[in-house]
Every structure is written in structure tokens, then in C-alpha cells.
Amino acid sequence: MKNEQQLKDIVKDRYAKIAEQGKAENAASCCGATTPSNKVYNIMMDDYSETGGYVEDADLGLGCGLPTQFAKIKKGDTVIDLGSGAGNDCFVARHETGAEGKVIGIDFTPIMIEKARANAEKLGFNNVEFREGDIDAMPVSNNVADVIVSNCVLNLVPNKQKVIGEIFRVLKPGGHFSISDIVLIGNLPDALKEDAEMYAGCVAGAIQKTEYLQFIEDAGFQNIQIQKEKPIVIPNDILEKYLSEEEVKTFNNAGTGIFSVTVYAEKPGTKPEKPKRQLTEINDEPCCSPDGNCC
């Protein structure tokens, strides 16, 4: 059994390679980590192409949901995206929060940070920044975010309970999160749970749905909701890489469920009102033109 740091190193190494792959290859495998399937496209990811703020160059085909669609982001919000990759969800969030808001992406893979920063610079977004760091020890102060989003990332982190605790820490009182992730109902075969490639592929690192929701409740969150749920079907040509023919049949008939879920929850408290813009005054008079337009 590998320890937490070894599992993190596996993911970091694999996602450095995934960053150089094409979207089609990533989307046809499990989070880009396993051998692409010739039987299905988009095993996990949802289609972003009609989403406001979508930037094709930032979409590596690695998600398992569309958390920003459910995140209730408002103009002026501060949004944090966990496992931000090349910046896809950050740019969608920026579309919602507007130029007056702020978006922070966190990722622990240096090449992903480089790609995301290059994309932000190309787009001219000065209110979107990317920080290199672990999401179980976020490089962010307490009570910073109005909203946290994440897309198919917590399942890659060995200590999910610690990440959920960090989410609680950095959210403002009254803030909330909307996170898409992979969860299980029933047990995976040992060959899938123990394989490093399947871990990096978002499946072997998934935990039971009930345990996942319990971690959120134990952290102190309230109004916990499943906003969306869909089954993930791993094609036989991927399973056959890890299991015998008989084991594949057993797995497919065992009633084990692998699901993409989008979970919403709120941190207790009331968010302080955002400060209103103050007029710039010159000689104690508001800076306004005769037609009534003020600075």
C-alpha cells in the first residue's frame, strides 16, 4: 500500500504528462490517465462548449461534471477553483463573477500552472490568478472565498477529509461550494484499487458516497445537496487491462456503482456585505460630469 506522498507523486507525474495530451485522448480515457477506449468518447466529462466564458484552449477534457453551472456565482464574488488545470473552470467562473470579482485557481502540477497563466495572459484577465500548491494545504488565508468549485479532483487526493476541512477554512461565513467528483456505491476489485494508473484516472481513489457526504457534514457544513448525479461506465476494453475476462464479467454484474456527483454545501454564518464603491471627491465635491455620470 502506497503512502499519501507516494500517491500524490503518482498523480503529479501523470498529470504533467496529461497536460501535453490532446483533449480527445483525455476525454476518451479515465481523466486522461488510462488507455483511451475505442468504444466511448467522454467517459466522464460534460460538454462545456455552450457555457459562457468557455475557453477551448483551457479545456483538457479532464472533468466529470459542470460545477460552475450549479455554483450560484454572483457578480463581484471571490471564487476558488481546486485543481484548476489549464484554467477551464476559472475562466467560466470569471464570466460569472465579472471583472469586479476575483478568481483563484490552485493546482500542484507546475506545467498546469504555466498553461493556465499563459491562457489568462492571452485573455487579458487581470483578476484571475493561479497559485501552485496542494489543495489539502491551500496557499490561501482564512475566510477568503465566497464560492469554491472543483471538477473531478478530490478523488485524486489521499486525505479527502483534510481537503474538506481546508474548504471550510477558506470559505467566508455564509459561503458555499459546488464540487463535481467521483464516488462509489459498492467496492472496486482490488486490481483497480491498487493500480497507480487507475488512481491517477480518478476511479481507484474514489471513496464511498456515504463516507464522502459524512466528511462534509462532519466538517460543519449545512444544507448539503446532490445537485447532479450520473453513472460512470468504464468500457470493457479499459477494464480488461486490469482484470481477467471472468473478473470483468463479475465486476459488470456486481451492482457496483461508479458515479459522478455534483455536491453543494454551505458554511454556516452570514457573509458581510460587499463595500459599495465610493465616489472620488475633488475639493469635497463628487467627481461628476454635468450629464450626471460620476467617476
Side-chain angles (χ1 to χ4, degrees), residues 1-2 7 10 189-199 204:
M1 178 65 75
K2 294 178 174 61
L7 289 171
I10 288 167
D190 288 342
L192 295 186
K193 285 194 293 187
E194 294 169 5
D195 192 274
E197 186 178 61
M198 286 301 288
Y199 190 92

Side-chain angles (χ1 to χ4, degrees), residues 26-73:
N26 290 335
S29 61
C30 291
C31 288
T34 61
T35 305
S37 170
N38 58 22
K39 295 177 183 174
V40 67
Y41 181 75
N42 290 0
I43 289 175
M44 295 186 180
M45 69 172 291
D46 283 356
D47 182 19
Y48 273 82
S49 58
E50 301 301 317
T51 304
Y54 173 69
V55 178
E56 188 173 5
D57 286 348
D59 184 5
L60 299 180
L62 301 175
C64 62
L66 242 174
T68 45
Q69 184 179 39
F70 302 96
K72 304 178 184 179
I73 298 168

Side-chain angles (χ1 to χ4, degrees), residues 64-65 180-183 228-232 258-262:
C64 62
S180 296
D181 217 343
I182 301 296
V183 297
K228 185 177 179 180
E229 180 170 311
K230 65 176 183 178
I232 301 296
I258 303 171
F259 293 88
S260 162
V261 293
T262 300

Side-chain angles (χ1 to χ4, degrees), residues 138-279:
M138 295 184 211
V140 180
S141 301
N142 297 345
N143 306 319
V144 165
D146 296 290
V147 182
I148 289 179
V149 296
S150 186
N151 198 346
C152 212
V153 173
L154 268 68
N155 48 72
L156 297 170
V157 182
N159 194 335
K160 294 161 184 60
Q161 195 167 16
K162 190 175 179 185
V163 177
I164 292 167
E166 279 288 274
I167 293 171
F168 192 90
R169 177 182 69 81
V170 304
L171 275 173
K172 296 175 183 176
H176 63 270
F177 71 75
S178 183
I179 289 175
S180 296
D181 217 343
I182 301 296
V183 297
L184 304 176
I185 297 176
N187 295 315
L188 289 178
D190 288 342
L192 295 186
K193 285 194 293 187
E194 294 169 5
D195 192 274
E197 186 178 61
M198 286 301 288
Y199 190 92
C202 301
V203 173
I207 62 174
Q208 296 296 314
K209 177 182 174 182
T210 52
E211 185 180 12
Y212 193 97
L213 295 176
Q214 190 63 53
F215 283 163
I216 294 170
E217 185 177 340
D218 290 346
F221 286 101
Q222 60 187 21
N223 195 20
I224 302 165
Q225 305 170 24
I226 301 290
Q227 295 175 303
K228 185 177 179 180
E229 180 170 311
K230 65 176 183 178
I232 301 296
V233 178
I234 303 178
N236 286 352
D237 59 339
I238 288 181
L239 291 174
E240 286 163 1
K241 186 175 178 184
Y242 308 94
L243 306 174
S244 69
E245 185 178 346
E246 190 59 37
E247 287 172 328
V248 170
K249 287 181 182 176
T250 302
F251 174 73
N252 285 335
N253 295 323
T256 297
I258 303 171
F259 293 88
S260 162
V261 293
T262 300
V263 184
Y264 172 94
E266 299 168 353
K267 181 174 176 177
T270 303
K271 280 195 281 188
E273 288 188 23
K274 292 183 174 67
K276 294 179 181 178
R277 293 180 64 189
Q278 300 294 317
L279 295 175

Side-chain angles (χ1 to χ4, degrees), residues 2-13 108 134 136 156 158-159 199:
K2 294 178 174 61
N3 63 34
E4 286 189 18
Q5 189 55 52
Q6 288 172 322
L7 289 171
K8 283 185 178 183
D9 290 343
I10 288 167
V11 172
K12 184 178 286 190
D13 178 67
F108 76 164
D134 287 9
D136 60 5
L156 297 170
N159 194 335
Y199 190 92

